[in-house]
Amino acid sequence: MPGIRVLIATVPERMGLLRRALASVCAQTMAPNSVVIVCDRGLKPADAMATIDLVLEDPHWLMNQGPSGAANAWNTGIDYIAKHWPDDYLAILDDDDTWDSEHLAGCLSIAARGDWPDLVISGIRAWVDGIEQPREPIRSLLVSDFLVGNPGWQGSNTFIRIATLLRAGCFTPGLASCNDRDLAIRVLSLEGLRSAFTARHTVNWFHERGRACLSSVGSDDKLSGLTRFYQLHGWRMTSEHERRFFARAKELFGLPRDLILQHLKELGHAL
């Protein structure tokens, strides 16, 4: 039976959030085989360890081996896990999210029933300023869904075979946001991919509008991420996909089409 390796990336200002995330890992009815925590933005493992008062079974503390950013931090952890446990499942948890206590057990149970698929996706609850936003658990995935937005596969409900993740190319280095959508498109494009769904919400995604994050309205990171995403995947989009992509960027993040295209032109010159 494949093991479960948990991966969390974190930064200095999120130690309180990391404690909450780790508490949900410790509360799992099925404990993971190991937990890998990658420190980013100059955070040293020794400093992070000193702030975490939870006892984990043999945690592995790493430093981001590439330029600062979530994608490179995750890739550092994936490289480490692939070298040590290449046949297992990887479960990612964002440092500001939590899992229900049965999350890992539920994912592994579905995986066993499905003869160990490449990917198991659970439902993810969205909490905005402490209020749950009702939505149905995801039960299917298409590449086209992610060209426009995200139907419900994010970092914290990623439960994927490590070999499958490596085959997809892991995370795109330097992508400031849209990492989940970019990865989903590449994974779902793999030939012969087998996926399964728990059809249950066991992940909690928290968004506080007053807290800075990659999805903050009008942020430079969001502009950079959307522009780079369009550069990578715009060729896949129909005219309707493009219309909806730019409309969503303006409605949710305050980033108009002309600004993204201007940034794309500047990015092209920089490359």
Side-chain angles (χ1 to χ4, degrees):
M1 184 170 66
I4 302 173
R5 312 295 168 172
V6 171
L7 173 61
I8 304 175
T10 194
V11 292
E13 62 270 22
R14 293 160 81 105
M15 290 297 98
L17 295 171
L18 177 62
R19 277 192 288 271
R20 181 181 67 179
L22 288 175
S24 75
V25 176
C26 292
Q28 292 300 297
T29 57
M30 174 178 285
N33 297 88
S34 58
V35 178
V36 175
I37 304 170
V38 183
C39 300
D40 191 23
R41 293 189 203 162
L43 176 64
K44 292 181 172 58
D47 296 336
M49 292 168 64
T51 69
I52 302 303
D53 54 6
L54 299 169
V55 178
L56 292 173
E57 185 68 29
D58 191 28
H60 301 259
W61 292 87
L62 308 176
M63 283 194 70
N64 180 5
Q65 295 302 303
S68 180
N72 287 322
W74 283 320
N75 286 344
T76 293
I78 293 166
D79 288 345
Y80 179 86
I81 291 168
K83 288 175 183 175
H84 291 83
W85 311 289
D87 299 321
D88 288 350
Y89 280 99
L90 175 73
I92 294 176
L93 179 60
D94 289 347
D95 62 1
D96 55 352
D97 293 341
T98 65
W99 289 333
D100 291 357
S101 60
E102 70 276 14
H103 173 68
L104 293 180
C107 288
L108 195 66
S109 174
I110 291 294
R113 276 187 262 165
D115 193 24
W116 312 115
D118 298 279
L119 178 69
V120 179
I121 298 296
S122 55
I124 184 167
R125 299 183 198 89
W127 298 87
V128 177
D129 294 334
I131 300 173
E132 183 179 357
Q133 310 298 304
R135 62 178 177 181
E136 287 296 310
I138 192 168
R139 290 178 169 86
S140 65
L141 290 172
L142 297 172
V143 167
S144 57
D145 295 333
F146 294 91
L147 295 175
V148 174
N150 191 327
W153 176 13
Q154 296 172 212
S156 295
N157 62 335
T158 296
F159 190 91
I160 188 170
R161 294 300 291 254
I162 294 163
T164 303
L165 191 53
L166 294 176
R167 193 156 60 100
C170 301
F171 289 94
T172 298
L175 188 59
S177 67
C178 303
N179 290 285
D180 46 8
R181 291 168 60 186
D182 170 64
L183 179 66
I185 289 170
R186 289 182 287 108
V187 169
L188 296 173
S189 298
L190 292 174
E191 185 175 352
L193 181 83
R194 295 191 304 124
S195 55
F197 302 85
T198 69
R200 293 181 57 206
H201 287 312
T202 55
V203 177
N204 298 287
W205 174 74
F206 298 101
H207 177 62
E208 288 86 34
R209 281 174 285 198
R211 175 165 56 87
C213 64
L214 295 182
S215 299
S216 296
V217 174
S219 71
D220 289 342
D221 280 342
K222 197 63 194 181
L223 173 61
S224 175
L226 283 170
T227 303
R228 181 75 173 120
F229 179 86
Y230 182 70
Q231 184 183 49
L232 290 169
H233 301 292
W235 65 272
R236 302 174 185 263
M237 298 181 184
T238 64
S239 57
E240 178 62 13
H241 289 146
E242 282 202 1
R243 184 191 68 77
R244 292 169 59 195
F245 171 83
F246 287 115
R248 183 177 182 272
K250 184 173 183 181
E251 179 183 355
L252 294 185
F253 308 113
L255 298 171
R257 180 178 185 274
D258 289 349
L259 181 61
I260 293 173
L261 293 180
Q262 176 60 34
H263 196 67
L264 178 65
K265 186 182 298 185
E266 294 168 359
L267 182 61
H269 289 319
L271 295 176

